Amino acid sequence: EIVLTQSPATLSLSPGERATLSCRASQSVSSYLAWYQQKPGQAPRLLIYDASNRATGIPARFSGSGSGTDFTLTISSLEPEDFAVYYCLQRSTFWTFGQGTKVEIK
Amino acid sequence: QVQLVQSGADVKKPGASVKVSCKASGYTFTGYYMHWVRQAPGQGLEWMGWINPNSGDSNYAQKFQGRVTMTRDTSISTAFMELSGLRSDDTAVYYCARLEMTTKFDPWGQGTLVIVSS
């Protein structure tokens, strides 16, 4: 089973700052990695799929990069609504999620 | 619009089974795999498995094999997830999500809270 490790566990930033979230896979997942945002009491929301493709309606301040085992989600300038938990997801034989990164207001 | 609507919250006793439904609308139900994901209180997301609504084929995460059964009823565009032998650590919100492609789960159902308690 492929394990995804997200870092950091918590990111404390102010609105307007840049956020850089990391997701590392225990073995190559090619480009089969996605990023999801989840706010309290809500279902996850797709942000980025297949490493770098923004989902429909997702603002351009969200971008994804990487391939193989190392992936990054970048939020170029944090808006108040971006403070949430972010999960990466990989698809190989099965699907697995990372443990999440909480982006909180500093 | 494409939408998944799940059944309401449920409370079960340890050892019982629970069956959660996920009704699809706005797209061809048999055209996309349906996945199930759960989230224990305050914890992360855990992938459980998928069902192919067209064929009925399913595949489950190793952790749930032997306890989970995913089925569908194409006449009502609804997928089901049944979990048996419930334990307190099965208390979670259970989500269905349509797999549009590779890693693209969209949309998600609103979630169904299942509480396991004596």
Side-chain angles (χ1 to χ4, degrees), chain A residues 74-89:
Chain A
T74 302
I75 310 171
S76 60
S77 178
L78 282 164
E79 295 288 339
E81 62 268 27
D82 299 337
F83 292 92
V85 179
Y86 293 83
Y87 294 95
C88 55
L89 164 82

Side-chain angles (χ1 to χ4, degrees), chain A:
Chain A
E1 177 183 313
I2 294 178
V3 176
L4 296 179
T5 302
Q6 292 187 240
S7 61
T10 303
L11 199 51
S12 299
L13 295 168
S14 300
E17 289 194 294
R18 182 184 189 89
T20 303
L21 287 66
S22 173
C23 179
R24 178 163 290 178
S26 58
Q27 61 191 80
S28 176
V29 298
S30 185
S31 294
Y32 294 136
L33 188 110
W35 291 93
Y36 291 81
Q37 177 194 67
Q38 189 179 34
K39 297 179 181 179
Q42 296 184 15
R45 172 195 181 198
L46 174 67
L47 298 176
I48 302 287
Y49 65 96
D50 291 355
S52 60
N53 297 286
R54 251 189 322 273
T56 302
I58 301 303
R61 64 180 182 272
F62 291 93
S63 64
S65 63
S67 66
T69 60
D70 289 295
F71 299 86
T72 301
L73 174 70
T74 302
I75 310 171
S76 60
S77 178
L78 282 164
E79 295 288 339
E81 62 268 27
D82 299 337
F83 292 92
V85 179
Y86 293 83
Y87 294 95
C88 55
L89 164 82
Q90 70 81 27
R91 169 231 157 178
S92 56
T93 307
F94 296 104
W95 285 255
T96 52
F97 289 92
Q99 81 280 16
T101 290
K102 182 179 181 180
V103 178
E104 65 176 23
I105 300 176
K106 186 174 182 180

Side-chain angles (χ1 to χ4, degrees), chain B residues 4-106:
Chain B
L4 301 175
V5 178
Q6 298 183 222
S7 47
D10 209 343
V11 180
K12 295 293 185 183
K13 293 194 181 302
S17 297
V18 67
K19 192 170 186 177
V20 179
S21 68
C22 171
K23 182 171 178 59
S25 61
Y27 72 97
T28 302
F29 176 64
T30 53
Y32 299 86
Y33 284 35
M34 192 72 77
H35 289 240
W36 290 87
V37 174
R38 77 176 186 179
Q39 185 170 39
Q43 302 302 309
L45 301 169
E46 183 173 32
W47 179 79
M48 298 181 69
W50 57 256
I51 182 167
N52 178 347
N54 188 44
S55 65
D57 290 342
S58 57
N59 203 352
Y60 310 132
Q62 190 167 9
K63 175 177 180 176
F64 299 103
Q65 286 189 11
R67 283 210 304 145
V68 70
T69 304
M70 296 178 187
T71 58
R72 91 294 189 214
D73 184 338
T74 58
S75 69
I76 55 172
S77 298
T78 300
F80 302 92
M81 187 284 300
E82 184 170 19
L83 189 62
S84 62
L86 289 170
R87 307 182 290 254
S88 58
D89 62 359
D90 290 317
T91 293
V93 175
Y94 290 78
Y95 294 101
C96 59
R98 184 185 75 161
L99 182 69
E100 192 172 338
M101 59 177 282
T102 57
T103 58
K104 199 176 179 185
F105 287 134
D106 189 38

